[in-house]
């Protein structure tokens, strides 16, 4: 079944939200590995050109390993599946979308479906075993 303009707009939002969350998690994983105060990085980056809703509202949760849901992984995985199907139907190859879907689907399979989307950081430590502890 084809989807309408509102659903396509939602898919645009979810593609951006998923990839933005990946950027937040990767940047904070990098900050930790570099020995930086990750909370200070959230504040600094959040106030700059790369700041985003995800960084400002979920960055500190990533740092604290707080995966309480706002928007759950199971819903993001469902939406990304729809987005991938529609992108294929439209003849689009969207590697960021494909990667985000792979990571969120791995977390879903590992039992993290009821966690918030910021639990994406769990998949970065071991893409083949996302149930491992997050980077500290």
């Amino acid at each position: 079944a084809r989807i309408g303009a509102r659903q396509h707009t939602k898919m645009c939002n979810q593609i951006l939200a998923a990839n933005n969350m990946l950027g937040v998690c990767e940047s904070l994983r990098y900050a930790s590995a570099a020995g930086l105060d990750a909370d200070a990085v959230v504040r600094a980056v959040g106030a700059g050109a790369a700041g985003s809703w995800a960084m400002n509202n979920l960055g500190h949760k990533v740092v604290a390993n707080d995966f309480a849901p706002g928007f759950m992984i199971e819903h993001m995985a469902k939406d990304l599946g729809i987005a991938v199907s529609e992108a294929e139907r439209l003849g689009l190859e969207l590697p960021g979308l494909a990667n985000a879907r792979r990571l969120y689907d791995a977390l879903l399979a590992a039992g993290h479906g009821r966690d918030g989307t910021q639990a994406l950081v769990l998949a970065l430590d071991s893409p083949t075993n996302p149930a491992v502890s997050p980077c500290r």
Side-chain angles (χ1 to χ4, degrees), residues 35-134:
L36 302 176
D37 176 339
D39 281 312
V41 170
V42 170
R43 289 189 300 276
V45 172
S52 65
W53 186 94
M55 179 62 88
N56 291 321
N57 290 278
L58 299 174
H60 294 293
K61 287 186 171 200
V62 171
V63 172
N65 299 321
D66 175 358
F67 305 130
F71 192 72
M72 289 184 271
I73 286 173
E74 65 187 24
H75 300 304
M76 180 61 82
K78 175 190 68 76
D79 289 349
L80 294 180
I82 294 168
V84 165
S85 294
E86 284 300 304
E88 289 171 354
R89 187 182 67 74
L90 295 168
L92 297 173
E93 184 176 322
L94 302 175
L97 169 59
N99 187 47
R101 181 185 187 198
R102 178 183 64 82
L103 293 170
Y104 277 113
D105 282 352
L107 287 168
L108 187 62
H112 293 284
R114 308 288 291 172
D115 287 338
T117 55
Q118 71 274 18
L120 183 62
V121 74
L122 295 170
L124 298 181
D125 282 334
S126 177
T128 59
N129 182 12
V132 298
S133 299

Side-chain angles (χ1 to χ4, degrees), residues 24-49:
V24 167
C25 291
E26 285 186 345
S27 69
L28 294 175
R29 185 173 181 228
Y30 179 93
S32 291
L36 302 176
D37 176 339
D39 281 312
V41 170
V42 170
R43 289 189 300 276
V45 172

